[in-house]
Amino acid sequence: MTPLEPDKIDTLFINCHLATMTGNALSIIEKAALAVTGKTISWIGRQKDLPDHLRTSCQKLIDCRNGWILPGFVDCHTHLVWGGSRSNEFEMRLSGATYEEISKKGGGIFSTVQSTRNASKDELFTLASKRVAALLSQGITTLEIKSGYGLKLETELKMLKVIGQLDKTFPLHIEATFLGAHALPQEFADDSDGYIDLVTKTMLPAVKDQAIATAVDVFCERIAFNLSQTRKVLQTATDLGLKVKLHAEQLSDSNGAAMAAQFSALSCDHLEYLSLSGAKKMAEHNVTAVLLPGAFYFLKETKKPPVQILKDLKIPIAVSTDLNPGSSPVHSMTLILNMACMLFDLTCEQALLGATINGAKALGLELSKGSIEKGKDADLVVWDIDTPADLCYLAGLTPIEMIMIGGKIQHNTLHK
Ligand code: NIG
Ligand code: FE
């Protein structure tokens, strides 16, 4: 499997099975061993092929007792920095109000914007820390977090700084995405083009100058921004050398996906109303489709994304929690895996690819994250399961025995 042997090994996992998530498949190696040197995976293969001297020279030997090792999950779409709560809206929706109705009356994203503007940076950090800790305990080792509840320069930057602080504080790798064009703030109620000018002329240059986000996202939707406004933001971001992605075709077909594809977007996300022509453009430009079954479920959406078309066109499919206070307050990747199978007809293998290597693709991190390969980051989770499908089947259970991020053990119940 790995012809060149490392000179030294820091951690050696034995008595394990691997789902390496390579070659667009689980790519299982049973009765395996896996070695880590420094931050990276340095040897993988069948345990019987492990050279004796590697076993004897390792610093730390971990007996996985027949557990399964998968790459840590990559949660590629979250909005987990927010102030306030929207549980009242959840109850309104249970009584029949729709997400769009609530948003049109100034609730929804706008209510979170108010609370997020009012919260201090420290308050936001404390609230978001609990959510990051919950995701880490679910085996998520790479995470994307968007801004988008500030909708003015100062609060957008405050959110992005909180995301940066989370990245420094927690062992997970965190990518920040600027989503200034998430909703039209009330002070621009009659001037959406004016707000887009603020985003493109003031906010984006500041985000670039401060190197505070790697990607730029837009909510392209009838309750948010139209196609030509979306194009302006994506064009400015591209001119500034930032990567782009898009909330596209969530509530209606706005032709956002086709346009984002022309900008070689990393991903188009949601996609319930994606058309065949939009999907073809995504395939042509190698754009990852990010499916968010939590939002579909919480909004009681009935239109499924065209999953069979995505599969037929061989578009990489990622799945993610979309953790946010309105449409997807879901803190569990294993629950999302189950929903991806039950609601969107993904196989267990496709769902797991979606939460690992395809999640990494949606962030442009596929060379270092999302699969178990020599030279990749040692972001690994040891699971007490009989088969990888158990992670989709045992809905909501999280039988984690060890989490390693960048070669460092973060959680370990194997050697109590
Ligand atoms: O991904 N679609 C827009 N943005 C979020 C929802 C944000 C909110 O309701 O607060 C989403 O579903
Ligand atoms: Fe979202």
Side-chain angles (χ1 to χ4, degrees), residues 58-94:
C58 75
Q59 300 276 314
K60 190 170 178 71
L61 184 70
I62 296 176
D63 180 351
C64 297
R65 303 184 298 218
N66 272 326
W68 281 81
I69 306 183
L70 271 79
F73 291 139
V74 178
D75 195 359
C76 63
H77 179 141
T78 81
H79 308 247
L80 68 70
V81 175
W82 79 79
S85 163
R86 306 242 295 276
S87 66
N88 60 328
E89 290 179 10
F90 175 62
E91 295 193 298
M92 282 160 68
R93 284 197 290 105
L94 292 178

PDB file of all heavy atoms in Angstrom, residues 58-94:
ATOM      1  N   CYS A  58       7.797   2.774  17.553  1.00  0.00           N
ATOM      2  CA  CYS A  58       6.835   3.877  17.677  1.00  0.00           C
ATOM      3  C   CYS A  58       6.785   4.404  19.102  1.00  0.00           C
ATOM      4  O   CYS A  58       7.041   3.678  20.060  1.00  0.00           O
ATOM      5  CB  CYS A  58       5.449   3.453  17.203  1.00  0.00           C
ATOM      6  SG  CYS A  58       4.603   2.400  18.340  1.00  0.00           S
ATOM      7  N   GLN A  59       6.459   5.679  19.203  1.00  0.00           N
ATOM      8  CA  GLN A  59       6.378   6.327  20.527  1.00  0.00           C
ATOM      9  C   GLN A  59       5.139   5.862  21.292  1.00  0.00           C
ATOM     10  O   GLN A  59       5.185   5.654  22.485  1.00  0.00           O
ATOM     11  CB  GLN A  59       6.253   7.845  20.345  1.00  0.00           C
ATOM     12  CG  GLN A  59       7.388   8.503  19.627  1.00  0.00           C
ATOM     13  CD  GLN A  59       8.515   8.812  20.585  1.00  0.00           C
ATOM     14  OE1 GLN A  59       8.277   9.333  21.654  1.00  0.00           O
ATOM     15  NE2 GLN A  59       9.723   8.454  20.207  1.00  0.00           N
ATOM     16  N   LYS A  60       4.010   5.773  20.568  1.00  0.00           N
ATOM     17  CA  LYS A  60       2.743   5.461  21.235  1.00  0.00           C
ATOM     18  C   LYS A  60       2.005   4.423  20.393  1.00  0.00           C
ATOM     19  O   LYS A  60       1.793   4.627  19.203  1.00  0.00           O
ATOM     20  CB  LYS A  60       1.904   6.750  21.335  1.00  0.00           C
ATOM     21  CG  LYS A  60       0.687   6.622  22.209  1.00  0.00           C
ATOM     22  CD  LYS A  60       0.070   8.018  22.438  1.00  0.00           C
ATOM     23  CE  LYS A  60      -1.189   7.925  23.263  1.00  0.00           C
ATOM     24  NZ  LYS A  60      -0.992   7.593  24.651  1.00  0.00           N
ATOM     25  N   LEU A  61       1.626   3.322  21.036  1.00  0.00           N
ATOM     26  CA  LEU A  61       0.907   2.247  20.340  1.00  0.00           C
ATOM     27  C   LEU A  61      -0.547   2.253  20.805  1.00  0.00           C
ATOM     28  O   LEU A  61      -0.825   2.231  22.000  1.00  0.00           O
ATOM     29  CB  LEU A  61       1.558   0.904  20.684  1.00  0.00           C
ATOM     30  CG  LEU A  61       0.976  -0.313  19.963  1.00  0.00           C
ATOM     31  CD1 LEU A  61       1.331  -0.304  18.483  1.00  0.00           C
ATOM     32  CD2 LEU A  61       1.489  -1.606  20.600  1.00  0.00           C
ATOM     33  N   ILE A  62      -1.452   2.307  19.849  1.00  0.00           N
ATOM     34  CA  ILE A  62      -2.872   2.336  20.207  1.00  0.00           C
ATOM     35  C   ILE A  62      -3.578   1.109  19.642  1.00  0.00           C
ATOM     36  O   ILE A  62      -3.629   0.929  18.422  1.00  0.00           O
ATOM     37  CB  ILE A  62      -3.544   3.629  19.692  1.00  0.00           C
ATOM     38  CG1 ILE A  62      -2.885   4.809  20.408  1.00  0.00           C
ATOM     39  CG2 ILE A  62      -5.037   3.613  19.946  1.00  0.00           C
ATOM     40  CD1 ILE A  62      -3.357   6.147  19.968  1.00  0.00           C
ATOM     41  N   ASP A  63      -4.081   0.288  20.551  1.00  0.00           N
ATOM     42  CA  ASP A  63      -4.826  -0.911  20.148  1.00  0.00           C
ATOM     43  C   ASP A  63      -6.295  -0.525  19.981  1.00  0.00           C
ATOM     44  O   ASP A  63      -6.974  -0.197  20.949  1.00  0.00           O
ATOM     45  CB  ASP A  63      -4.664  -1.978  21.245  1.00  0.00           C
ATOM     46  CG  ASP A  63      -5.407  -3.254  20.885  1.00  0.00           C
ATOM     47  OD1 ASP A  63      -6.173  -3.252  19.896  1.00  0.00           O
ATOM     48  OD2 ASP A  63      -5.217  -4.256  21.602  1.00  0.00           O
ATOM     49  N   CYS A  64      -6.773  -0.553  18.751  1.00  0.00           N
ATOM     50  CA  CYS A  64      -8.151  -0.085  18.468  1.00  0.00           C
ATOM     51  C   CYS A  64      -9.202  -1.161  18.737  1.00  0.00           C
ATOM     52  O   CYS A  64     -10.398  -0.910  18.514  1.00  0.00           O
ATOM     53  CB  CYS A  64      -8.259   0.401  17.030  1.00  0.00           C
ATOM     54  SG  CYS A  64      -7.217   1.802  16.687  1.00  0.00           S
ATOM     55  N   ARG A  65      -8.788  -2.345  19.145  1.00  0.00           N
ATOM     56  CA  ARG A  65      -9.733  -3.409  19.532  1.00  0.00           C
ATOM     57  C   ARG A  65     -10.804  -3.617  18.459  1.00  0.00           C
ATOM     58  O   ARG A  65     -11.994  -3.614  18.753  1.00  0.00           O
ATOM     59  CB  ARG A  65     -10.371  -3.086  20.891  1.00  0.00           C
ATOM     60  CG  ARG A  65      -9.335  -2.885  22.010  1.00  0.00           C
ATOM     61  CD  ARG A  65      -9.972  -2.674  23.343  1.00  0.00           C
ATOM     62  NE  ARG A  65     -10.806  -1.500  23.421  1.00  0.00           N
ATOM     63  CZ  ARG A  65     -10.889  -0.700  24.479  1.00  0.00           C
ATOM     64  NH1 ARG A  65     -10.163  -0.962  25.557  1.00  0.00           N
ATOM     65  NH2 ARG A  65     -11.705   0.330  24.472  1.00  0.00           N
ATOM     66  N   ASN A  66     -10.353  -3.710  17.224  1.00  0.00           N
ATOM     67  CA  ASN A  66     -11.267  -3.954  16.092  1.00  0.00           C
ATOM     68  C   ASN A  66     -12.150  -2.775  15.713  1.00  0.00           C
ATOM     69  O   ASN A  66     -13.112  -2.939  14.973  1.00  0.00           O
ATOM     70  CB  ASN A  66     -12.163  -5.164  16.338  1.00  0.00           C
ATOM     71  CG  ASN A  66     -11.476  -6.417  15.870  1.00  0.00           C
ATOM     72  OD1 ASN A  66     -10.743  -6.363  14.877  1.00  0.00           O
ATOM     73  ND2 ASN A  66     -11.686  -7.486  16.595  1.00  0.00           N
ATOM     74  N   GLY A  67     -11.841  -1.610  16.234  1.00  0.00           N
ATOM     75  CA  GLY A  67     -12.614  -0.419  15.878  1.00  0.00           C
ATOM     76  C   GLY A  67     -12.318   0.011  14.447  1.00  0.00           C
ATOM     77  O   GLY A  67     -11.382  -0.467  13.801  1.00  0.00           O
ATOM     78  N   TRP A  68     -13.147   0.906  13.964  1.00  0.00           N
ATOM     79  CA  TRP A  68     -12.992   1.447  12.605  1.00  0.00           C
ATOM     80  C   TRP A  68     -12.409   2.854  12.663  1.00  0.00           C
ATOM     81  O   TRP A  68     -12.865   3.675  13.460  1.00  0.00           O
ATOM     82  CB  TRP A  68     -14.350   1.528  11.909  1.00  0.00           C
ATOM     83  CG  TRP A  68     -14.800   0.204  11.387  1.00  0.00           C
ATOM     84  CD1 TRP A  68     -15.401  -0.807  12.088  1.00  0.00           C
ATOM     85  CD2 TRP A  68     -14.663  -0.262  10.041  1.00  0.00           C
ATOM     86  NE1 TRP A  68     -15.657  -1.868  11.274  1.00  0.00           N
ATOM     87  CE2 TRP A  68     -15.220  -1.561   9.998  1.00  0.00           C
ATOM     88  CE3 TRP A  68     -14.136   0.292   8.871  1.00  0.00           C
ATOM     89  CZ2 TRP A  68     -15.252  -2.303   8.822  1.00  0.00           C
ATOM     90  CZ3 TRP A  68     -14.175  -0.459   7.700  1.00  0.00           C
ATOM     91  CH2 TRP A  68     -14.724  -1.749   7.695  1.00  0.00           C
ATOM     92  N   ILE A  69     -11.432   3.112  11.795  1.00  0.00           N
ATOM     93  CA  ILE A  69     -10.907   4.475  11.688  1.00  0.00           C
ATOM     94  C   ILE A  69     -11.413   5.095  10.388  1.00  0.00           C
ATOM     95  O   ILE A  69     -11.267   4.520   9.303  1.00  0.00           O
ATOM     96  CB  ILE A  69      -9.364   4.519  11.700  1.00  0.00           C
ATOM     97  CG1 ILE A  69      -8.811   3.790  12.929  1.00  0.00           C
ATOM     98  CG2 ILE A  69      -8.867   5.955  11.665  1.00  0.00           C
ATOM     99  CD1 ILE A  69      -7.296   3.854  13.061  1.00  0.00           C
ATOM    100  N   LEU A  70     -12.022   6.257  10.532  1.00  0.00           N
ATOM    101  CA  LEU A  70     -12.429   7.058   9.367  1.00  0.00           C
ATOM    102  C   LEU A  70     -11.761   8.419   9.476  1.00  0.00           C
ATOM    103  O   LEU A  70     -11.386   8.844  10.584  1.00  0.00           O
ATOM    104  CB  LEU A  70     -13.954   7.259   9.335  1.00  0.00           C
ATOM    105  CG  LEU A  70     -14.767   6.191   8.603  1.00  0.00           C
ATOM    106  CD1 LEU A  70     -14.945   4.957   9.476  1.00  0.00           C
ATOM    107  CD2 LEU A  70     -16.132   6.723   8.197  1.00  0.00           C
ATOM    108  N   PRO A  71     -11.645   9.125   8.346  1.00  0.00           N
ATOM    109  CA  PRO A  71     -11.165  10.507   8.466  1.00  0.00           C
ATOM    110  C   PRO A  71     -12.149  11.298   9.322  1.00  0.00           C
ATOM    111  O   PRO A  71     -13.345  11.008   9.299  1.00  0.00           O
ATOM    112  CB  PRO A  71     -11.174  11.025   7.025  1.00  0.00           C
ATOM    113  CG  PRO A  71     -11.750   9.965   6.169  1.00  0.00           C
ATOM    114  CD  PRO A  71     -12.000   8.740   6.972  1.00  0.00           C
ATOM    115  N   GLY A  72     -11.670  12.273  10.072  1.00  0.00           N
ATOM    116  CA  GLY A  72     -12.584  13.142  10.808  1.00  0.00           C
ATOM    117  C   GLY A  72     -13.574  13.763   9.842  1.00  0.00           C
ATOM    118  O   GLY A  72     -13.248  14.022   8.680  1.00  0.00           O
ATOM    119  N   PHE A  73     -14.789  14.026  10.327  1.00  0.00           N
ATOM    120  CA  PHE A  73     -15.791  14.632   9.452  1.00  0.00           C
ATOM    121  C   PHE A  73     -15.407  16.073   9.114  1.00  0.00           C
ATOM    122  O   PHE A  73     -14.817  16.782   9.945  1.00  0.00           O
ATOM    123  CB  PHE A  73     -17.162  14.649  10.123  1.00  0.00           C
ATOM    124  CG  PHE A  73     -17.781  13.280  10.277  1.00  0.00           C
ATOM    125  CD1 PHE A  73     -18.455  12.944  11.445  1.00  0.00           C
ATOM    126  CD2 PHE A  73     -17.724  12.339   9.263  1.00  0.00           C
ATOM    127  CE1 PHE A  73     -19.043  11.702  11.607  1.00  0.00           C
ATOM    128  CE2 PHE A  73     -18.312  11.086   9.412  1.00  0.00           C
ATOM    129  CZ  PHE A  73     -18.968  10.771  10.586  1.00  0.00           C
ATOM    130  N   VAL A  74     -15.777  16.466   7.907  1.00  0.00           N
ATOM    131  CA  VAL A  74     -15.578  17.849   7.456  1.00  0.00           C
ATOM    132  C   VAL A  74     -16.970  18.467   7.327  1.00  0.00           C
ATOM    133  O   VAL A  74     -17.745  18.067   6.464  1.00  0.00           O
ATOM    134  CB  VAL A  74     -14.859  17.879   6.082  1.00  0.00           C
ATOM    135  CG1 VAL A  74     -14.692  19.320   5.605  1.00  0.00           C
ATOM    136  CG2 VAL A  74     -13.517  17.164   6.167  1.00  0.00           C
ATOM    137  N   ASP A  75     -17.293  19.396   8.206  1.00  0.00           N
ATOM    138  CA  ASP A  75     -18.613  20.043   8.162  1.00  0.00           C
ATOM    139  C   ASP A  75     -18.436  21.354   7.394  1.00  0.00           C
ATOM    140  O   ASP A  75     -17.939  22.351   7.933  1.00  0.00           O
ATOM    141  CB  ASP A  75     -19.113  20.295   9.594  1.00  0.00           C
ATOM    142  CG  ASP A  75     -20.594  20.624   9.612  1.00  0.00           C
ATOM    143  OD1 ASP A  75     -21.206  20.676   8.531  1.00  0.00           O
ATOM    144  OD2 ASP A  75     -21.139  20.839  10.719  1.00  0.00           O
ATOM    145  N   CYS A  76     -18.852  21.338   6.109  1.00  0.00           N
ATOM    146  CA  CYS A  76     -18.413  22.391   5.192  1.00  0.00           C
ATOM    147  C   CYS A  76     -19.383  23.565   5.079  1.00  0.00           C
ATOM    148  O   CYS A  76     -19.175  24.439   4.230  1.00  0.00           O
ATOM    149  CB  CYS A  76     -18.149  21.794   3.816  1.00  0.00           C
ATOM    150  SG  CYS A  76     -19.632  21.098   3.060  1.00  0.00           S
ATOM    151  N   HIS A  77     -20.441  23.622   5.906  1.00  0.00           N
ATOM    152  CA  HIS A  77     -21.399  24.729   5.772  1.00  0.00           C
ATOM    153  C   HIS A  77     -22.100  24.941   7.113  1.00  0.00           C
ATOM    154  O   HIS A  77     -23.003  24.182   7.482  1.00  0.00           O
ATOM    155  CB  HIS A  77     -22.419  24.357   4.679  1.00  0.00           C
ATOM    156  CG  HIS A  77     -23.495  25.372   4.425  1.00  0.00           C
ATOM    157  ND1 HIS A  77     -23.957  25.667   3.156  1.00  0.00           N
ATOM    158  CD2 HIS A  77     -24.233  26.157   5.257  1.00  0.00           C
ATOM    159  CE1 HIS A  77     -24.921  26.573   3.220  1.00  0.00           C
ATOM    160  NE2 HIS A  77     -25.115  26.883   4.500  1.00  0.00           N
ATOM    161  N   THR A  78     -21.646  25.941   7.864  1.00  0.00           N
ATOM    162  CA  THR A  78     -22.349  26.270   9.115  1.00  0.00           C
ATOM    163  C   THR A  78     -22.430  27.789   9.282  1.00  0.00           C
ATOM    164  O   THR A  78     -21.665  28.543   8.679  1.00  0.00           O
ATOM    165  CB  THR A  78     -21.679  25.685  10.389  1.00  0.00           C
ATOM    166  OG1 THR A  78     -20.591  26.518  10.795  1.00  0.00           O
ATOM    167  CG2 THR A  78     -21.214  24.262  10.212  1.00  0.00           C
ATOM    168  N   HIS A  79     -23.387  28.170  10.118  1.00  0.00           N
ATOM    169  CA  HIS A  79     -23.553  29.587  10.492  1.00  0.00           C
ATOM    170  C   HIS A  79     -23.570  29.602  12.022  1.00  0.00           C
ATOM    171  O   HIS A  79     -24.541  30.027  12.633  1.00  0.00           O
ATOM    172  CB  HIS A  79     -24.900  30.133  10.011  1.00  0.00           C
ATOM    173  CG  HIS A  79     -25.228  29.924   8.563  1.00  0.00           C
ATOM    174  ND1 HIS A  79     -25.314  30.973   7.675  1.00  0.00           N
ATOM    175  CD2 HIS A  79     -25.535  28.816   7.828  1.00  0.00           C
ATOM    176  CE1 HIS A  79     -25.665  30.508   6.466  1.00  0.00           C
ATOM    177  NE2 HIS A  79     -25.810  29.219   6.544  1.00  0.00           N
ATOM    178  N   LEU A  80     -22.533  29.051  12.656  1.00  0.00           N
ATOM    179  CA  LEU A  80     -22.704  28.776  14.088  1.00  0.00           C
ATOM    180  C   LEU A  80     -22.344  29.922  15.027  1.00  0.00           C
ATOM    181  O   LEU A  80     -22.434  29.766  16.250  1.00  0.00           O
ATOM    182  CB  LEU A  80     -22.022  27.456  14.475  1.00  0.00           C
ATOM    183  CG  LEU A  80     -20.510  27.320  14.456  1.00  0.00           C
ATOM    184  CD1 LEU A  80     -19.822  28.097  15.540  1.00  0.00           C
ATOM    185  CD2 LEU A  80     -20.158  25.851  14.587  1.00  0.00           C
ATOM    186  N   VAL A  81     -21.945  31.064  14.466  1.00  0.00           N
ATOM    187  CA  VAL A  81     -21.760  32.239  15.333  1.00  0.00           C
ATOM    188  C   VAL A  81     -23.040  33.071  15.254  1.00  0.00           C
ATOM    189  O   VAL A  81     -23.356  33.640  14.207  1.00  0.00           O
ATOM    190  CB  VAL A  81     -20.552  33.082  14.879  1.00  0.00           C
ATOM    191  CG1 VAL A  81     -20.451  34.363  15.706  1.00  0.00           C
ATOM    192  CG2 VAL A  81     -19.260  32.284  14.992  1.00  0.00           C
ATOM    193  N   TRP A  82     -23.806  33.060  16.317  1.00  0.00           N
ATOM    194  CA  TRP A  82     -25.019  33.893  16.341  1.00  0.00           C
ATOM    195  C   TRP A  82     -25.385  34.252  17.766  1.00  0.00           C
ATOM    196  O   TRP A  82     -25.015  33.561  18.708  1.00  0.00           O
ATOM    197  CB  TRP A  82     -26.202  33.195  15.646  1.00  0.00           C
ATOM    198  CG  TRP A  82     -26.919  32.127  16.440  1.00  0.00           C
ATOM    199  CD1 TRP A  82     -27.845  32.323  17.427  1.00  0.00           C
ATOM    200  CD2 TRP A  82     -26.791  30.697  16.308  1.00  0.00           C
ATOM    201  NE1 TRP A  82     -28.297  31.104  17.907  1.00  0.00           N
ATOM    202  CE2 TRP A  82     -27.675  30.095  17.236  1.00  0.00           C
ATOM    203  CE3 TRP A  82     -26.010  29.865  15.482  1.00  0.00           C
ATOM    204  CZ2 TRP A  82     -27.799  28.708  17.364  1.00  0.00           C
ATOM    205  CZ3 TRP A  82     -26.146  28.475  15.631  1.00  0.00           C
ATOM    206  CH2 TRP A  82     -27.022  27.920  16.558  1.00  0.00           C
ATOM    207  N   GLY A  83     -26.125  35.362  17.897  1.00  0.00           N
ATOM    208  CA  GLY A  83     -26.657  35.753  19.204  1.00  0.00           C
ATOM    209  C   GLY A  83     -28.155  35.470  19.231  1.00  0.00           C
ATOM    210  O   GLY A  83     -28.793  35.336  18.189  1.00  0.00           O
ATOM    211  N   GLY A  84     -28.730  35.394  20.412  1.00  0.00           N
ATOM    212  CA  GLY A  84     -30.180  35.225  20.565  1.00  0.00           C
ATOM    213  C   GLY A  84     -30.655  33.819  20.279  1.00  0.00           C
ATOM    214  O   GLY A  84     -29.853  32.881  20.166  1.00  0.00           O
ATOM    215  N   SER A  85     -31.980  33.694  20.178  1.00  0.00           N
ATOM    216  CA  SER A  85     -32.568  32.374  19.938  1.00  0.00           C
ATOM    217  C   SER A  85     -33.771  32.543  19.019  1.00  0.00           C
ATOM    218  O   SER A  85     -34.400  33.602  19.005  1.00  0.00           O
ATOM    219  CB  SER A  85     -33.017  31.758  21.267  1.00  0.00           C
ATOM    220  OG  SER A  85     -33.920  30.699  21.025  1.00  0.00           O
ATOM    221  N   ARG A  86     -34.088  31.529  18.255  1.00  0.00           N
ATOM    222  CA  ARG A  86     -35.256  31.597  17.367  1.00  0.00           C
ATOM    223  C   ARG A  86     -36.224  30.464  17.697  1.00  0.00           C
ATOM    224  O   ARG A  86     -37.001  30.038  16.840  1.00  0.00           O
ATOM    225  CB  ARG A  86     -34.815  31.529  15.900  1.00  0.00           C
ATOM    226  CG  ARG A  86     -33.768  32.572  15.519  1.00  0.00           C
ATOM    227  CD  ARG A  86     -34.250  33.525  14.453  1.00  0.00           C
ATOM    228  NE  ARG A  86     -34.502  32.932  13.176  1.00  0.00           N
ATOM    229  CZ  ARG A  86     -33.580  32.701  12.225  1.00  0.00           C
ATOM    230  NH1 ARG A  86     -32.312  33.031  12.428  1.00  0.00           N
ATOM    231  NH2 ARG A  86     -33.927  32.179  11.082  1.00  0.00           N
ATOM    232  N   SER A  87     -36.210  29.984  18.964  1.00  0.00           N
ATOM    233  CA  SER A  87     -37.092  28.855  19.280  1.00  0.00           C
ATOM    234  C   SER A  87     -38.551  29.286  19.185  1.00  0.00           C
ATOM    235  O   SER A  87     -39.427  28.477  18.877  1.00  0.00           O
ATOM    236  CB  SER A  87     -36.759  28.239  20.633  1.00  0.00           C
ATOM    237  OG  SER A  87     -37.032  29.155  21.649  1.00  0.00           O
ATOM    238  N   ASN A  88     -38.815  30.604  19.401  1.00  0.00           N
ATOM    239  CA  ASN A  88     -40.201  31.087  19.234  1.00  0.00           C
ATOM    240  C   ASN A  88     -40.671  30.894  17.791  1.00  0.00           C
ATOM    241  O   ASN A  88     -41.812  30.527  17.529  1.00  0.00           O
ATOM    242  CB  ASN A  88     -40.308  32.567  19.657  1.00  0.00           C
ATOM    243  CG  ASN A  88     -39.407  33.467  18.818  1.00  0.00           C
ATOM    244  OD1 ASN A  88     -38.334  33.041  18.371  1.00  0.00           O
ATOM    245  ND2 ASN A  88     -39.829  34.689  18.579  1.00  0.00           N
ATOM    246  N   GLU A  89     -39.741  31.112  16.842  1.00  0.00           N
ATOM    247  CA  GLU A  89     -40.115  30.942  15.424  1.00  0.00           C
ATOM    248  C   GLU A  89     -40.333  29.475  15.077  1.00  0.00           C
ATOM    249  O   GLU A  89     -41.165  29.137  14.235  1.00  0.00           O
ATOM    250  CB  GLU A  89     -39.023  31.499  14.519  1.00  0.00           C
ATOM    251  CG  GLU A  89     -38.953  32.993  14.586  1.00  0.00           C
ATOM    252  CD  GLU A  89     -37.859  33.547  13.700  1.00  0.00           C
ATOM    253  OE1 GLU A  89     -37.277  32.781  12.892  1.00  0.00           O
ATOM    254  OE2 GLU A  89     -37.572  34.735  13.820  1.00  0.00           O
ATOM    255  N   PHE A  90     -39.585  28.641  15.748  1.00  0.00           N
ATOM    256  CA  PHE A  90     -39.786  27.192  15.554  1.00  0.00           C
ATOM    257  C   PHE A  90     -41.232  26.865  15.934  1.00  0.00           C
ATOM    258  O   PHE A  90     -41.953  26.183  15.195  1.00  0.00           O
ATOM    259  CB  PHE A  90     -38.778  26.430  16.430  1.00  0.00           C
ATOM    260  CG  PHE A  90     -38.947  24.935  16.437  1.00  0.00           C
ATOM    261  CD1 PHE A  90     -38.812  24.208  15.265  1.00  0.00           C
ATOM    262  CD2 PHE A  90     -39.228  24.255  17.617  1.00  0.00           C
ATOM    263  CE1 PHE A  90     -38.964  22.821  15.269  1.00  0.00           C
ATOM    264  CE2 PHE A  90     -39.376  22.884  17.622  1.00  0.00           C
ATOM    265  CZ  PHE A  90     -39.251  22.165  16.451  1.00  0.00           C
ATOM    266  N   GLU A  91     -41.662  27.431  17.051  1.00  0.00           N
ATOM    267  CA  GLU A  91     -43.038  27.161  17.490  1.00  0.00           C
ATOM    268  C   GLU A  91     -44.059  27.788  16.528  1.00  0.00           C
ATOM    269  O   GLU A  91     -45.092  27.194  16.251  1.00  0.00           O
ATOM    270  CB  GLU A  91     -43.238  27.648  18.925  1.00  0.00           C
ATOM    271  CG  GLU A  91     -42.367  26.846  19.877  1.00  0.00           C
ATOM    272  CD  GLU A  91     -42.722  27.027  21.333  1.00  0.00           C
ATOM    273  OE1 GLU A  91     -42.625  28.170  21.822  1.00  0.00           O
ATOM    274  OE2 GLU A  91     -43.108  26.038  21.970  1.00  0.00           O
ATOM    275  N   MET A  92     -43.718  28.988  15.992  1.00  0.00           N
ATOM    276  CA  MET A  92     -44.624  29.595  15.001  1.00  0.00           C
ATOM    277  C   MET A  92     -44.740  28.710  13.761  1.00  0.00           C
ATOM    278  O   MET A  92     -45.825  28.538  13.201  1.00  0.00           O
ATOM    279  CB  MET A  92     -44.089  30.975  14.570  1.00  0.00           C
ATOM    280  CG  MET A  92     -44.363  32.086  15.578  1.00  0.00           C
ATOM    281  SD  MET A  92     -43.263  33.507  15.339  1.00  0.00           S
ATOM    282  CE  MET A  92     -43.809  34.161  13.800  1.00  0.00           C
ATOM    283  N   ARG A  93     -43.624  28.153  13.369  1.00  0.00           N
ATOM    284  CA  ARG A  93     -43.659  27.299  12.179  1.00  0.00           C
ATOM    285  C   ARG A  93     -44.449  26.018  12.448  1.00  0.00           C
ATOM    286  O   ARG A  93     -45.144  25.507  11.585  1.00  0.00           O
ATOM    287  CB  ARG A  93     -42.246  27.010  11.671  1.00  0.00           C
ATOM    288  CG  ARG A  93     -41.669  28.234  10.950  1.00  0.00           C
ATOM    289  CD  ARG A  93     -40.485  27.952  10.067  1.00  0.00           C
ATOM    290  NE  ARG A  93     -39.299  27.622  10.832  1.00  0.00           N
ATOM    291  CZ  ARG A  93     -38.808  26.410  10.957  1.00  0.00           C
ATOM    292  NH1 ARG A  93     -39.373  25.384  10.357  1.00  0.00           N
ATOM    293  NH2 ARG A  93     -37.720  26.201  11.678  1.00  0.00           N
ATOM    294  N   LEU A  94     -44.370  25.534  13.703  1.00  0.00           N
ATOM    295  CA  LEU A  94     -45.164  24.342  14.040  1.00  0.00           C
ATOM    296  C   LEU A  94     -46.657  24.649  13.938  1.00  0.00           C
ATOM    297  O   LEU A  94     -47.470  23.767  13.684  1.00  0.00           O
ATOM    298  CB  LEU A  94     -44.825  23.852  15.461  1.00  0.00           C
ATOM    299  CG  LEU A  94     -43.423  23.285  15.666  1.00  0.00           C
ATOM    300  CD1 LEU A  94     -43.220  22.879  17.117  1.00  0.00           C
ATOM    301  CD2 LEU A  94     -43.180  22.084  14.761  1.00  0.00           C
TER     302      LEU A  94
END
